[in-house]
Amino acid sequence: MPPNDGEHFSANWKGLQESFKSSQMTNKTRASQQEPNGPSQEGKDKASQNAHHSSVSKAKTDSGPKAKHRTVDPKAKRPVAADAKQHAAAERKSQLKANGKQAAKKRKVEAKESKPTEVDIWFDDVDPDDIEATVGAEAAEIMRKRQGVCKNATANMLVKEKSFEGLTRVVAIDCEMVGVGPHGEDSILARVSLVNHFGKCIYDKYVKPSEHVTDYRTAVSGIRPTDIAEGEDVATVRKEVADILHGRIVVGHAIHNDFKVLLLDHPKKKIRDTQKYKPFMKTTKVPCHVKRDLVVIVGQKVSN
């Protein structure tokens, strides 16, 4: 029932105030008991919010000046681009160099693999040994086959070992000449060589020139100025050669030139000129090269 008296109203009011105060005191004691163990959940939330706001504000304040420092001048990138271009150019250069080396190596391998044919060896009158030294063994073999010469032709020696070294019924002669007069057109005797039937040398002398030499013809004759500077007198050589040839068969190539420069004569029936000998001409087809003819017929290289 509600109070009817005023005193009852005041008493109720006082009781309500006292109960309110007592509830406030219990709340305070509870809060005081929770603070030593750690902040309340509400405090935690407030602290996290405050920290978030502070970090955002700090990031905003920091981002301002740092953005200014991070701005890069476009000109500063140019050296990097230039270095990249130089590096790319160096790589291209090295690649081209490597490709060039590979191509050269490939060409060498192809050149080694390609063998010459008879069509490639269009020339003749060349020593197969010289061809082998310059072109190769295949080309030399083609030339030997064309000339009818075996590779071991040196086994067929013109000079027989342990054979007679004196004069025989048949001798062979060869003379070397040098040029005198204008342009070296005229010839004089420079050397005389004779061998016997077995290829043994029986006479070989240089001749001292009786005139001024204008062309030594070294490429053909092999004569050099020092060879004939202290040579034998031409008259002595002529007499000694005439004594050897007397009554014997004389073999030579284009031998009439040798007799002409020696100022000698010999019976025709005792001359054997390989340039005009018909069996030799039939074998070699052409009548005029002593080195080639003797290689084809005898199988022996005579001189260089």
Side-chain angles (χ1 to χ4, degrees):
M1 291 294 290
N4 295 321
D5 193 1
E7 292 179 359
H8 290 286
F9 278 105
S10 61
N12 290 335
W13 177 249
K14 287 180 181 178
L16 180 63
Q17 286 181 344
E18 288 178 0
S19 64
F20 180 72
K21 286 180 180 179
S22 63
S23 64
Q24 284 183 348
M25 290 296 290
T26 52
N27 289 334
K28 285 182 179 179
T29 54
R30 287 177 183 177
S32 62
Q33 289 175 359
Q34 289 178 357
E35 282 179 359
N37 296 330
S40 63
Q41 184 67 29
E42 185 179 358
K44 288 182 180 179
D45 295 338
K46 287 182 180 180
S48 64
Q49 288 179 0
N50 293 332
H52 177 68
H53 287 300
S54 63
S55 64
V56 170
S57 60
K58 188 176 180 182
K60 287 182 179 179
T61 55
D62 293 341
S63 62
K66 283 186 179 179
K68 290 182 182 179
H69 289 293
R70 286 179 182 177
T71 56
V72 181
D73 188 5
K75 294 181 180 179
K77 292 183 179 180
R78 289 181 182 177
V80 178
D83 293 340
K85 287 182 180 179
Q86 290 179 357
H87 182 66
E91 285 184 352
R92 286 196 298 271
K93 189 174 180 180
S94 62
Q95 187 67 24
L96 290 172
K97 191 174 181 181
N99 292 337
K101 287 182 178 179
Q102 290 178 357
K105 190 175 181 180
K106 187 177 180 181
R107 284 195 297 270
K108 286 182 180 179
V109 171
E110 290 177 353
K112 287 181 180 179
E113 289 179 355
S114 60
K115 294 182 179 180
T117 61
E118 291 190 5
V119 179
D120 298 328
I121 312 300
W122 53 268
F123 46 86
D124 56 5
D125 192 21
V126 180
D127 193 338
D129 293 340
D130 296 337
I131 295 176
E132 185 171 1
T134 54
V135 181
E138 293 84 1
E141 195 62 30
I142 293 172
M143 183 58 72
R144 290 190 185 97
K145 184 178 179 181
R146 186 179 298 174
Q147 294 181 355
V149 180
C150 298
K151 186 174 183 179
N152 298 324
T154 52
N156 303 322
M157 301 285 291
L158 285 177
V159 180
K160 296 181 180 180
E161 295 182 1
K162 299 180 181 179
S163 59
F164 181 63
E165 297 182 0
L167 291 173
T168 54
R169 191 173 67 90
V170 179
V171 295
I173 187 171
D174 185 42
C175 297
E176 300 296 342
M177 286 83 88
V178 292
V180 295
H183 308 293
E185 294 177 353
D186 298 329
S187 299
I188 60 171
L189 186 64
R191 183 181 182 181
V192 183
S193 302
L194 288 96
V195 297
N196 66 8
H197 180 77
F198 303 105
K200 296 287 187 178
C201 183
I202 56 176
Y203 189 90
D204 187 19
K205 284 189 178 181
Y206 289 101
V207 180
K208 189 173 182 178
S210 56
E211 301 180 39
H212 176 68
V213 179
T214 55
D215 185 4
Y216 285 90
R217 305 173 185 173
T218 305
V220 178
S221 66
I223 302 295
R224 292 176 175 79
T226 54
D227 296 332
I228 59 177
E230 301 297 329
E232 190 72 54
D233 182 66
V234 63
T236 304
V237 172
R238 184 182 296 115
K239 183 178 184 304
E240 291 174 350
V241 171
D243 292 340
I244 294 172
L245 300 183
H246 181 70
R248 291 181 169 85
I249 297 174
V250 183
V251 181
H253 190 81
I255 199 170
H256 60 279
N257 293 322
D258 299 328
F259 286 135
K260 181 179 179 180
V261 76
L262 283 166
L263 301 177
L264 294 176
D265 195 7
H266 200 72
K268 189 176 181 179
K269 64 179 181 179
K270 290 187 177 293
I271 293 175
R272 304 292 185 269
D273 195 338
T274 57
Q275 186 187 38
K276 299 177 181 179
Y277 187 53
K278 290 183 180 180
F280 288 175
M281 293 173 62
K282 190 180 295 184
T283 304
T284 60
K285 307 297 181 183
V286 286
C288 64
H289 198 287
V290 60
K291 284 179 66 177
R292 182 193 60 218
D293 292 354
L294 290 179
V295 167
V296 171
I297 296 165
V298 184
Q300 173 65 35
K301 184 170 66 175
V302 179
S303 63
N304 291 321

